[in-house]
């Protein structure tokens, strides 16, 4: 049987939620499930209604993106996990292409390139965050996060082995997770664009930039000792 991919979409008062869901339910790869986690929204909930027979819909009290992702993961039945922000859209062949690449190279974690688009879906740029060798990736991750979380496809077993997203990190839960997984996983990169990442005035990275920056420093402090030890042995535990 072909693997099943669980697409989890956290949603909180986002005007673009219908576009995100459309891109998920119309993937060219047929073995998917789409889980929309409404994190206590008071706006735009009506834009989810047309898709109710195509998705699993979960409503919860507001707790932040990490809590919504974790609720989705708990309900997921797939072999692989994909996270899609409610203001972004996936290219319609994203799952088919990325999963095909992962199966070919036997990857358990993969991220990729993505487009920047504006509030009106107009293309702005294409970002290809390929870093290089494992050691180079490690050195970059010690300073910041080049990985767009919505381009990540990850084996679902990762959450059973190493836990779910850390809710102590409201804005950098993804960065914390990738650092947690790095010592065990090879972080494969796929050079084709996978999502359109929307840049707009209400996006969280703009509204919460100062908090995000402070959290990044906490994440780095948490993982730096382990990653520095890993750096000394060439990026792999012997």
């Amino acid at each position: 049987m072909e693997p099943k991919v669980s697409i989890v979409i956290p949603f909180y008062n986002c005007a673009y939620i219908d576009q995100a869901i459309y891109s998920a339910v119309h993937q060219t790869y047929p073995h998917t499930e789409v889980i929309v986690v409404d994190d206590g929204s008071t706006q735009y909930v009506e834009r989810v209604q047309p898709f109710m027979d195509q998705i699993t819909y979960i409503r919860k009290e507001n707790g932040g993106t990490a809590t919504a992702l974790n609720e989705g993961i708990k309900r997921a039945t797939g072999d692989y996990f994909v996270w899609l922000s409610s203001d972004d859209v996936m290219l319609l062949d994203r799952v088919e292409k990325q999963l095909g690449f992962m199966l070919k190279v036997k990857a358990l974690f993969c991220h990729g390139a993505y487009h920047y688009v504006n509030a009106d879906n107009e293309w702005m740029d294409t970002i290809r965050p390929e870093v290089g060798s494992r050691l180079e990736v490690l050195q970059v991750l010690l300073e910041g996060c080049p990985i767009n979380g919505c381009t990540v496809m990850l084996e679902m077993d990762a959450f059973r082995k190493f836990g779910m997203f850390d809710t102590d990190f409201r804005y950098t839960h993804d960065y914390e997770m990738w650092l947690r997984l790095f010592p065990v996983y090879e972080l494969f990169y796929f050079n084709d664009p996978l999502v359109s990442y929307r840049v707009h005035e209400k996006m969280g990275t703009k509204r919460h930039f100062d908090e995000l920056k402070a959290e990044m420093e906490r994440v780095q402090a948490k993982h730096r000792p382990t990653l520095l030890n890993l750096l000394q042995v060439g990026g792999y535990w012997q």
Side-chain angles (χ1 to χ4, degrees), residues 202-213:
K202 293 185 179 180
M203 64 191 300
T205 51
K206 286 190 176 184
R207 290 187 294 116
H208 305 291
F209 179 78
D210 290 339
E211 298 100 314
L212 188 152
K213 186 176 179 182

Side-chain angles (χ1 to χ4, degrees), residues 8 19 22 33-34 41 78 101 135 154 178 185 192 206 209:
V8 179
Q19 296 181 37
Y22 184 96
E33 64 178 354
V34 179
S41 294
F101 167 76
L135 267 182
L154 172 66
W178 315 149
Y185 284 79
D192 284 3
K206 286 190 176 184
F209 179 78

Side-chain angles (χ1 to χ4, degrees), residues 72-162:
I73 291 165
K74 290 174 188 175
R75 291 284 293 275
T77 61
D79 304 293
Y80 292 88
F81 162 83
V82 165
W83 156 28
L84 178 63
S85 292
S86 57
D87 51 358
D88 298 337
V89 296
M90 296 197 295
L91 276 65
L92 297 186
D93 60 354
R94 177 263 174 92
V95 171
E96 180 179 2
K97 290 168 65 175
Q98 188 174 20
L99 180 60
F101 167 76
M102 290 179 68
L103 295 175
K104 180 179 179 180
V105 301
K106 296 181 171 56
L108 300 177
F109 179 110
C110 176
H111 72 107
Y114 56 96
H115 298 306
Y116 273 134
V117 298
N118 65 16
D120 299 315
N121 291 312
E122 296 169 332
W123 178 87
M124 298 165 62
D125 198 1
T126 298
I127 308 301
R128 301 183 187 274
E130 184 173 17
V131 175
S133 70
R134 182 169 171 84
L135 267 182
E136 290 169 324
V137 172
L138 176 52
Q139 290 167 333
V140 170
L141 283 173
L142 282 165
E143 301 299 327
C145 186
I147 298 170
N148 182 323
C150 291
T151 71
V152 167
M153 187 178 288
L154 172 66
E155 67 157 352
M156 196 66 74
D157 277 346
F159 302 113
R160 289 185 275 271
K161 295 172 184 173
F162 301 103

Side-chain angles (χ1 to χ4, degrees), residues 218-229:
R218 287 175 51 214
V219 169
Q220 291 164 351
K222 176 181 178 180
H223 290 284
R224 185 173 287 111
T226 298
L227 297 179
L228 286 177
N229 285 339

